[in-house]
Amino acid sequence: MRDIHTDHSCNSPRTPNFRQRRRSNEIPAEINKSNGNFLLVDDKFKYRSMWIRAYSSMWMLASVSLIVYLGHLYIWAMVVIIQIFMASELFNLLIRATQDRRLPKFKLLNWHFFFTAMLFVYGRILSKQLVNTVTSDKFLFRLVCNLIKYQMVICYFLYIAGFVWFILSLKKRYYKYQFGQYAWTHMILIVVFTQSAFTVANIFEGIFWFLFPASLIAINDVGAYFFGFYFGRTPLIKLSPKKTWEGFIGASVATMIAAFTFANFLARFQWLTCPRKDLSTGWLQCDPDPIFKPEYIPLPGLISHWLPWKEIAVLPVQWHALWMGLFASIIAPFGGFFASGFKRAFKIKDFGDSIPGHGGFTDRMDCQMVMAVFVYIYHQSFVVAEDYSVETLLDQIMRNLGSEEQLALYAKLGQILQERRL
């Protein structure tokens, strides 16, 4: 095996697109040589690593708890900040410093595409909430309606501006590098914004649908770490040599138990279950959805004979929680395995070093990305009731008709009601 320094030399004709300087998150040679024979249970520094990881986890838990307490808009802001960190880590992965010095403002082009994608994705997702926020002001209402109407045009021409910028920035001898960066940027946008789009949609359906699945991923990750820490002996997958079957199975059982019980706990907080219809701040009050209301299941006579109660209260959301727990423990970890394989392909230990003991933000979000998409699809398919209520019809009217057409429609409806009363 060649040394990592040799592989990163710019003198080699087969040099991959890495920086010349060795980064702190590259895999040390002594660990890289083991290539799968290095279990966490055998790590002599595992207790030091565990305390660093625990300390960082406590800070993250406290920060996220505060943001969740503040409400929907602050959670959305947190998602945006995490996106920016993830994009920065992924943009830096294939940067070659020697090339960038000869291409001034080329990195700025990446961020132009990033914020264009952000405007497009969030504009489409939050258009209804934005309209509901400004309905009391006619001028703002018209302004927002026009922005929503022409949002796709604005985003398209922003993208075209970036495309033209890219073509004009092409330089001889750097074509391959520049087109590689162009493709890499678009792949990053797909990965980052696919996850975030579903995450933000879940947030506005109710904080529960963001907080609960994110908690399941954290519980599964912690469970896999500690079960592997104390009992892990059987390697699970070569892509991630520290993962063991003992950690995987133990974490799965712990996640399923936590899913059923934690869903019952979170569902008791009304401000977590209410959907947000606008972009205002503050806690919400609403009539809880039926899945957050208890159903009483009678116990069999043989069991109730020995117990002081004859029935148990179960929230319907707890049955949905079991399916989400199953996905979080069986399927979502493959997002982490994919990230592990990706890092091995680029010979790095972590995507970044922003979070001590955890790596970068991308390292923490690998499983969350898979989970967010699943929860959105599951919620829309099996939880949301398909109906055509008055509120739904009014939302469609607000979205598709201009202000004058809406006033004409309301006047016509008022006329019809008066005629029926007469």
Side-chain angles (χ1 to χ4, degrees):
M1 176 184 283
R2 292 183 300 170
D3 187 80
I4 293 177
H5 291 282
T6 305
D7 286 344
H8 290 188
S9 171
C10 288
N11 295 326
S12 173
R14 289 176 289 182
T15 301
N17 289 335
F18 296 114
R19 291 175 176 168
Q20 283 183 295
R21 180 173 56 87
R22 181 184 177 189
R23 298 189 298 272
S24 60
N25 62 335
E26 289 176 359
I27 299 177
E30 61 272 15
I31 296 178
N32 195 32
K33 288 179 181 179
S34 63
N35 194 26
N37 300 321
F38 187 72
L39 296 176
L40 185 60
V41 73
D42 300 320
D43 185 3
K44 61 182 180 181
F45 300 110
K46 65 178 183 178
Y47 286 102
R48 178 176 177 272
S49 175
M50 181 186 71
W51 284 114
I52 294 174
R53 190 182 180 95
Y55 182 76
S56 298
S57 298
M58 291 301 295
W59 274 105
M60 286 192 292
L61 178 61
S63 301
V64 172
S65 299
L66 175 61
I67 292 170
V68 169
Y69 177 82
L70 292 174
H72 299 72
L73 290 184
Y74 294 92
I75 301 173
W76 174 33
M78 178 186 69
V79 172
V80 171
I81 292 171
I82 291 174
Q83 276 185 312
I84 293 172
F85 275 101
M86 289 177 63
S88 178
E89 291 169 358
L90 293 172
F91 284 152
N92 291 333
L93 190 59
L94 288 185
I95 283 178
R96 290 166 66 180
T98 55
Q99 306 282 31
D100 273 19
R101 281 196 293 267
R102 295 178 175 86
L103 298 168
K105 299 182 180 180
F106 188 72
K107 188 184 294 186
L108 187 62
L109 179 61
N110 292 339
W111 290 107
H112 171 83
F113 285 123
F114 177 85
F115 287 108
T116 299
M118 182 180 291
L119 178 63
F120 175 78
V121 171
Y122 291 141
R124 303 304 296 174
I125 293 175
L126 303 179
S127 58
K128 182 173 69 174
Q129 286 84 355
L130 187 58
V131 169
N132 292 340
T133 304
V134 299
T135 50
S136 60
D137 188 296
K138 289 185 178 180
F139 173 76
L140 285 177
F141 178 77
R142 290 182 179 179
L143 177 63
V144 168
C145 285
N146 286 328
L147 286 175
I148 292 172
K149 181 178 180 181
Y150 299 110
Q151 183 231 4
M152 291 186 68
V153 174
I154 294 170
C155 293
Y156 175 74
F157 280 104
L158 282 174
Y159 178 83
I160 289 298
F163 177 74
V164 173
W165 180 0
F166 169 74
I167 297 299
L168 295 176
S169 69
L170 289 173
K171 288 189 176 182
K172 193 175 181 180
R173 294 186 303 162
Y174 299 101
Y175 293 156
K176 185 176 181 179
Y177 173 74
Q178 288 180 284
F179 276 100
Q181 289 290 309
Y182 185 80
W184 180 243
T185 298
H186 283 69
M187 195 202 81
I188 292 171
L189 297 181
I190 292 172
V191 171
V192 172
F193 281 102
T194 297
Q195 170 263 334
S196 62
F198 289 107
T199 300
V200 173
N202 292 337
I203 292 169
F204 283 88
E205 289 290 344
I207 296 177
F208 176 91
W209 300 107
F210 161 79
L211 181 60
F212 178 69
S215 300
L216 290 184
I217 293 296
I219 291 168
N220 185 262
D221 186 56
V222 171
Y225 181 82
F226 278 101
F227 278 102
F229 188 90
Y230 290 106
F231 309 109
R233 290 292 179 185
T234 310
L236 175 64
I237 187 170
K238 291 183 178 180
L239 286 174
S240 191
K242 292 186 180 181
K243 304 292 185 182
T244 61
W245 276 106
E246 291 82 1
F248 184 79
I249 295 172
S252 298
V253 174
T255 303
M256 294 300 292
I257 296 172
F260 193 77
T261 56
F262 195 51
N264 185 289
F265 172 75
L266 290 181
R268 298 177 184 273
F269 298 93
Q270 191 177 106
W271 60 278
L272 290 177
T273 61
C274 295
R276 171 66 74 181
K277 300 296 185 182
D278 54 29
L279 297 181
S280 60
T281 58
W283 287 12
L284 294 172
Q285 291 184 348
C286 64
D287 182 26
D289 191 276
I291 66 170
F292 297 112
K293 297 178 180 179
E295 294 180 347
Y296 295 92
I297 303 174
L299 294 173
L302 184 63
I303 298 176
S304 61
H305 178 73
W306 299 99
L307 296 175
W309 55 85
K310 304 300 180 183
E311 57 185 10
I312 58 173
V314 177
L315 303 180
V317 73
Q318 289 180 264
W319 306 119
H320 295 294
L322 289 177
W323 289 107
M324 287 186 275
L326 188 65
F327 187 91
S329 56
I330 304 298
I331 305 300
F334 280 85
F337 301 152
F338 176 85
S340 296
F342 194 88
K343 288 183 285 187
R344 284 188 169 274
F346 289 96
K347 294 188 174 72
I348 57 173
K349 182 182 178 183
D350 297 306
F351 286 103
D353 52 7
S354 306
I355 311 172
H358 294 270
F361 281 87
T362 309
D363 295 282
R364 289 295 86 212
M365 296 303 296
D366 46 14
C367 299
Q368 296 285 3
M369 290 189 291
V370 179
M371 191 70 187
V373 178
F374 168 76
V375 170
Y376 178 82
I377 294 173
Y378 183 91
H379 180 264
Q380 295 298 317
S381 301
F382 301 107
V383 178
V384 175
E386 183 178 354
D387 63 349
Y388 297 97
S389 62
V390 174
E391 184 180 357
T392 302
L393 293 175
L394 287 176
D395 285 340
Q396 292 298 321
I397 291 171
M398 298 289 285
R399 183 178 298 183
N400 296 311
L401 297 182
S403 57
E404 295 181 358
E405 294 171 319
Q406 291 174 23
L407 291 173
L409 177 62
Y410 293 152
K412 185 66 177 178
L413 289 173
Q415 182 182 353
I416 293 173
L417 287 174
Q418 286 183 351
E419 292 174 353
R420 288 187 176 181
R421 287 174 183 173
L422 295 175

